[in-house]
Structures are given as C-alpha cells and as structure tokens.
Amino acid sequence: MKPFTLEIGSDAPDFSLLATDGKTYSLKDFESSELLVIFFTCNHCPYVLNSDKETAKVAEHFKLKNVQFVGINSNSDKTKPLDSFDHMAERMGQNNFPWVYLRDESQAIALKYGALRTPHFYVFDKNRKLIYTGRAFDYPRDPERITTRDLEKALAEHLNGEPIKNQITNPIGCNIKWEGKDAHWMPPEACDL
C-alpha cells in the first residue's frame, strides 16, 4: 500500500491556491528559493497558535538564507468555522507572519502531501525533492518546554552541506479537519510516520 504521507525524495506536488494577500500561488512562484518549507497549519489549533511565534522566528532566521516558508490551511471551515479564509486574512493582518498563507478549500493538496496534523512541515531542496517531514519542535503546544528543534536542525544541516540526521519525525498537533467527517477522523491509511 502506498504511504499516505509523501516519502523522502518525493517531488513537491504542485498547487494553485489563493493566499491571504489576494494572489494565487503555485510552486513556480517560489523557484528562486534555495529551500521551500511547506507546512499545513490553521487558525484554531492550540499547537499552531502556541508555536506560531517560534515558527516565525525560524522563518525569519532562514529567510536570510533564501528559505521560503509557505503555510497551507486545508481544514474544513464547516467543521471549524475559525478556519475560514476570512479568519486567515484576519490572522495574517494581526500577526504579519513571515510566510505566504494559502487556502486549500478542496483539501486536494492536503491529500497530495499526505498532511496528518496542524502543524505538519515538509522541506524541499532546490530541486524540490522532499528532504525532511514532520514537526518543527517537540512541544509546539508549550514552547517553554521545547528541547528539540527538528526543523531548524534539518534546515541548518542541509544548508551546511551535511546530510540531515533525522529526516522524518512525527508531526505533533491537531488532525486535519476533513470535510464531512468527525472532527477527530483521520484517513485509515494515515498512521503515524
């Protein structure tokens, strides 16, 4: 059976999604970036809300090294009304996060990537091959307890020309809210990484 989540070495699936800035983006809009970090996120999950500031610090730091962060919200706004596009725009307006924030209304992109949770990070190299997937931190819900910064380590190792020691970690967060399903439902093949 094919794994639910993209495997290391996979090509980045393309997309054409509307962002909170009113523009539509696809992979080619980020082709000048050395690395591309695509992460599935949302507006309501406490794991996201509590770790956004830490994620923003990582994005700001690596922006200087030509790393682009792209957030995608695939959650059903029927399940969680706070995950609507209007609320996305409101959050970006309030927080001015250093990433592009896209809406995956159909959830097709979440399925292509095999997104499990919010947040769930995917790092692609210059050729847009997957080199890391999983979590950013070990305690996204309680940043004061963070001891492991897996995303930062992976980015730094790759940019330093070193192999990434830990390419796969389990994302920690709320599950994706799938349209027409119970709020806690996950596809049966979407087991942990």
Side-chain angles (χ1 to χ4, degrees), residues 34-87:
E34 187 63 30
L35 293 176
L36 182 62
V37 179
I38 291 178
F39 66 108
F40 289 81
T41 185
C42 66
N43 300 326
H44 82 278
C45 168
Y47 295 89
V48 168
L49 299 179
N50 291 349
S51 63
D52 266 343
K53 281 188 180 150
E54 290 297 319
T55 303
K57 284 182 202 168
V58 178
E60 290 285 8
H61 174 75
F62 284 97
K63 190 189 245 180
L64 305 172
K65 301 175 191 294
N66 197 21
V67 176
Q68 173 70 51
F69 275 61
V70 175
I72 300 178
N73 177 8
S74 300
N75 279 354
S76 166
D77 58 9
K78 291 184 184 70
T79 308
K80 290 288 180 184
L82 267 181
D83 281 326
S84 71
F85 185 81
D86 287 346
H87 282 105

Side-chain angles (χ1 to χ4, degrees), residues 8 14 40 52 54 60 102 115 154 163 166 176 193:
I8 296 299
D14 205 357
F40 289 81
D52 266 343
E54 290 297 319
E60 290 285 8
L102 307 176
N166 200 3
I176 300 287
L193 299 181

